[in-house]
Amino acid sequence: MSGTELSPERRRADRARLADGVVDVLVIGGGVTGAGAALDAASRGLSVGLVEARDWAAGTSSRSSKLIHGGLRYLEQMAFPLVREALKERARLVGTIAPHLVRPLPFLLPLTAPVWQRVYYGAGVALYDALGAAFTRDRTMGGRATGGRAMPRHRHLSRRATLRAFPALRRDVVRGAIRYWDAQVDDARHTLALVRTAAGYGAAVLSSARVVGLLQDAGAGADGIGGVGGGSKAAVVGVRVADLTDGSSFTVRARSVIAATGVWSDDVGEMLGTSAPSLKVRASKGVHLVVPRAAIDGGDLGPNGLIVRTPTSVLFVIPWREQWIVGTTDTPWRLDRDHPAASSADISYLLDQVNRVLTRPLSADDVVGVYAGLRPLLAGESDDTSRLSREHAVVTPVPGLVLVAGGKYTTYRVMAADAVDAAVAGLPGAPRSRTAELPLVGARGWAAVRDRAADLSGEHGVPEDTVVRLLQRHGDQIGAVLDLARADPALGRPLTGAPGYLAAEVVHAVTAEGALHIDDVLTRRTRVSIETPHRGVDSAPEVAALMAGVLGWDDERTAREVTHYTARVAAERESQRMPDDHTADAARLGAPDVRAAV
């Protein structure tokens, strides 16, 4: 595997490669499925291009519940194959693919009714355990053997044990709990690791590169672009791309194109014209709140997460670093897909639901951060979004084009492999997928560094708790960050307004992780935008100055980046005061996107 650093120089080289050559597989969409497809194809030995209109994981893949799970609630829907598949992928991610980013996490399922709930839910959790046990190998967790299981078995807790494990639960509501295990992921950094690993296998990867048209063969028209007027079913042979960094455009030729664009899937289908078959994808908005750890008493035995039944779905309370994530909603969204907005109604709903089981109710004043994402669901014409399928589909509407959509974050690898299988069906001798046991960047040497926080702290003069956090974000790549701090002591200091992050991580985000804008750093390379009350505004000037030193920004460009970021945060805050989706959407659109419009 070659170098995985997504540096500015690497971007320029990859752009030249894509514009001048022909690749076996071109992937549109830099979310988890598209990044997974690029890695799948590249690791098979194919030549690969990956283009993303904004930043890696800028859409759904950075705005999830940050869980890797089988979907306990899908057992009620009798979706046994979906749960089984997801649990198999959970075991792979925890064990081999990304153990530095995907970690086991215990959850409490509170019981609020008499005996029937313990029997009914207990049977479901036991089945969940049994399905998951088939995909594990002997491991240890927290220094103890797990009996051949990646996750410990579930346990039934009495009312007293439940309140001891999670004191914030209301004594008059909770009658006990079932404790079971799933896993947590840093979704944006996991998607980034997929992109970097694909680059290491030779893929040419380009963010801020928007596909604006499909190239089709001679029958498509004089300019070779399909979907302009005739609804041509001619084979797709590439795409036309707008480079949002400089306003230029270029074409990429490909033997097969995979569109892994989530809630934007219909846009790609429309490029073919109305007569071509396509996927029908509907967007469901999921809103999450971030509150300080002190706002909910999770006890001294934790951290445990909570999963609480609601009238229509479930609600998670998930420990996240020094905060809790509370979510999620599940409502139709038909407005702007680039920047889905949370309304005051969404926030009130989440607070009302979680307060049903908490001794100390949360209020809007407790909320530090809010984020909204859109789930791509395979749609029926009249289905409610909470009941739409979480399974995925792969279709080939015309030769040379594969569309993949649906699914859930946990099963991204299966979706990616299925999409690549479809894309290479006509390529003789194409190898099978290799990604089931392929470690991502940060994971290959994880076993050698995961317990070395104290040693690394002493060697580099960085506090041990900071090193622990760095390990959980960078895995075996931690040395690249620590070396920056050692070479320049100013980079070893905490970032202004975000003491959990080092200034060196900003420089590393630009030199190795493909960050092009302040938003990329504060929202996805780090999570300052949702973890701090100022939502990154206090950190933006320092981040801009650090990025300017690497990217060569002048004073005007540096100031423009800060202005854009500050306006974005202000627009999000304003949208969260609005009473409904339409007014929230209008408020959020008051801040222009930092990437140039095309």
Side-chain angles (χ1 to χ4, degrees), residues 50 155 166 203 230 266 274 289-290 353 367 385-386 480 555 570-571 596:
L50 171 64
R155 289 182 54 204
F166 209 101
D266 293 349
T274 56
L289 310 180
V290 182
Q353 293 301 317
V367 176
T385 60
S386 64
D555 290 345

Side-chain angles (χ1 to χ4, degrees), residues 153-429:
R153 293 182 181 275
H154 74 280
R155 289 182 54 204
H156 283 259
L157 302 183
S158 66
R159 180 184 178 193
R160 177 178 296 178
T162 299
L163 296 173
R164 187 165 61 248
F166 209 101
L169 290 170
R170 286 175 53 182
R171 296 174 178 272
D172 60 328
V173 171
V174 174
R175 300 178 180 234
I178 301 172
R179 190 175 192 244
Y180 74 98
W181 291 74
D182 258 320
Q184 183 173 66
V185 64
D186 187 326
D187 49 5
R189 294 205 62 85
H190 171 258
T191 299
L192 174 65
L194 286 167
V195 176
R196 291 188 61 186
T197 309
Y201 278 96
V205 302
L206 208 65
S207 64
S208 289
R210 177 172 294 154
V211 170
V212 295
L214 300 176
L215 303 179
Q216 294 182 260
D217 66 10
D223 60 0
I225 301 176
V228 174
S232 172
K233 294 185 180 180
V236 170
V237 295
V239 300
R240 184 171 295 281
V241 179
D243 189 333
L244 304 190
T245 66
D246 58 14
S248 65
S249 63
F250 59 97
T251 60
V252 183
R253 297 277 172 174
R255 295 180 177 86
S256 189
V257 174
I258 297 174
T261 51
V263 295
W264 293 269
S265 293
D266 293 349
D267 294 2
V268 176
E270 289 171 2
M271 292 180 186
L272 294 170
T274 56
S275 63
S278 184
L279 291 172
K280 292 299 181 184
V281 176
R282 288 169 66 178
S284 171
K285 183 176 67 168
V287 174
H288 295 80
L289 310 180
V290 182
V291 301
R293 186 65 68 90
I296 301 175
D297 185 358
D300 299 327
L301 305 178
N304 293 288
L306 290 181
I307 177 171
V308 180
R309 294 297 300 263
T310 71
T312 58
S313 185
V314 297
L315 184 80
F316 287 103
V317 180
I318 307 161
W320 174 259
R321 297 171 186 164
E322 302 306 316
Q323 293 87 22
W324 299 95
I325 292 175
V326 179
T328 179
T329 61
D330 196 350
T331 56
W333 180 262
R334 299 180 180 89
L335 302 169
D336 180 68
R337 288 166 294 169
D338 286 347
H339 305 293
S343 68
S344 62
D346 295 322
I347 295 170
S348 294
Y349 168 81
L350 291 172
L351 292 175
D352 289 346
Q353 293 301 317
V354 74
N355 285 340
R356 291 168 48 232
V357 298
L358 295 182
T359 300
R360 175 194 175 276
L362 297 177
S363 72
D365 292 338
D366 292 308
V367 176
V368 172
V370 181
Y371 64 94
L374 301 178
R375 303 180 192 90
L377 305 179
L378 300 180
E381 287 302 314
S382 61
D383 291 328
D384 183 270
T385 60
S386 64
R387 300 180 186 276
L388 290 176
S389 175
R390 260 62 173 183
E391 297 185 38
H392 69 273
V394 177
V395 301
T396 304
V398 298
L401 177 64
V402 173
L403 305 179
V404 55
K408 49 191 295 218
Y409 196 105
T410 302
T411 57
Y412 79 90
R413 195 199 63 81
V414 178
M415 296 172 63
D418 288 350
V420 176
D421 283 345
V424 302
L427 296 179

